[in-house]
Amino acid sequence: CRFPGVNNSRHIQQVVDVKANTTYSFEFKGRIQNAVGASGTQANEHTSSGIATLKGEVLSPDNNLLLDLTTQMPQTTDLNGEFTTSSEHTSVLVVLSKNWNIAYVDDVFLTEITNTGTNDLSLEEIVHLYQLQQGFRILASSQIHIASVLDLTGRLIKRYFNPGKSVDVAPIQNGMYIASVTFSEGISINRKYLVTN
């Protein structure tokens, strides 16, 4: 998503259903810069307004701020944090906004952090994807049981068994892929990634 309008504020928002008394991870990739262009090719300092800010917020139904993530970087940056719902929460409002300049947002995820039931410890099954030369890296918060890479038709491209907490998917042709990561507890997380070399 691109927020246009160098001199204008812009935002998008969505109400998301959540469970009460539950911890969630909110994450997205973003950058903000003076003009349209690839990551790192522009500055972020408007001549009349100064440095702009890209913001991601999670709000409760009564408008209390649960999480606030910001960047002023013109290079694509991974932003992530956690919040916990109260006993009265059945939904949250996710808002992505910029005050001026041009902002880019991609890979927005709101993920429940699950409890495995093992020793009452909460295990964060979070998966991040990072660009590599001719491919991408899958990085997880805990040991990966199986990592599968599929194209958008569901055709299996690559599969890795017990690769640890990370695996490099390279070389691979340009295109959109789905990284499907399964942990030993049976939890699976899917992420989309666009490879452009």
Side-chain angles (χ1 to χ4, degrees):
C1 176
R2 185 177 80 195
F3 294 108
V6 170
N7 297 309
N8 300 315
S9 63
R10 294 280 190 269
H11 80 278
I12 54 174
Q13 64 186 42
Q14 181 173 342
V15 175
V16 181
D17 292 336
V18 293
K19 298 177 184 175
N21 298 316
T22 304
T23 301
Y24 288 86
S25 166
F26 175 54
E27 59 184 291
F28 64 94
K29 293 181 181 180
R31 68 181 189 271
I32 188 161
Q33 56 200 46
N34 287 357
V36 174
S39 174
T41 62
Q42 304 287 330
N44 175 31
E45 188 167 359
H46 194 271
T47 53
S48 61
S49 303
I51 297 173
T53 302
L54 170 65
K55 182 181 291 190
E57 297 173 292
V58 180
L59 303 167
S60 68
D62 53 1
N63 259 354
N64 286 327
L65 183 65
L66 301 176
L67 181 64
D68 181 13
L69 304 173
T70 63
T71 184
Q72 294 181 324
M73 299 295 295
Q75 297 84 20
T76 299
T77 305
D78 290 304
L79 296 107
N80 60 75
E82 296 176 8
F83 66 92
T84 302
T85 58
S86 75
S87 59
E88 300 173 355
H89 289 163
T90 58
S91 67
V92 293
L93 178 66
V94 177
V95 183
L96 295 160
S97 65
K98 61 102 174 175
N99 49 0
W100 60 82
N101 277 356
I102 294 175
Y104 293 82
V105 175
D106 198 6
D107 295 340
V108 182
F109 294 102
L110 186 65
T111 308
E112 179 184 345
I113 297 175
T114 57
N115 188 331
T116 64
T118 305
N119 297 325
D120 294 326
L121 296 178
S122 177
L123 180 62
E124 298 179 17
E125 305 292 8
I126 300 174
V127 176
H128 297 282
L129 305 180
Y130 298 96
Q131 184 173 344
L132 294 176
Q133 189 72 23
Q134 297 183 328
F136 62 96
R137 172 173 295 151
I138 302 171
L139 181 63
S141 59
S142 59
Q143 297 291 324
I144 299 170
H145 181 55
I146 301 172
S148 302
V149 178
L150 305 97
D151 64 18
L152 289 182
T153 68
R155 183 172 59 98
L156 180 66
I157 306 298
K158 295 179 182 284
R159 178 167 283 160
Y160 305 88
F161 294 94
N162 300 310
K165 291 187 177 181
S166 70
V167 59
D168 289 351
V169 182
I172 196 168
Q173 294 180 351
N174 287 355
M176 182 68 77
Y177 295 93
I178 299 170
S180 179
V181 178
T182 303
F183 298 93
S184 58
E185 300 83 11
I187 299 167
S188 293
I189 294 176
N190 295 331
R191 294 281 190 266
K192 288 182 181 178
Y193 196 80
L194 178 64
V195 176
T196 57
N197 294 303

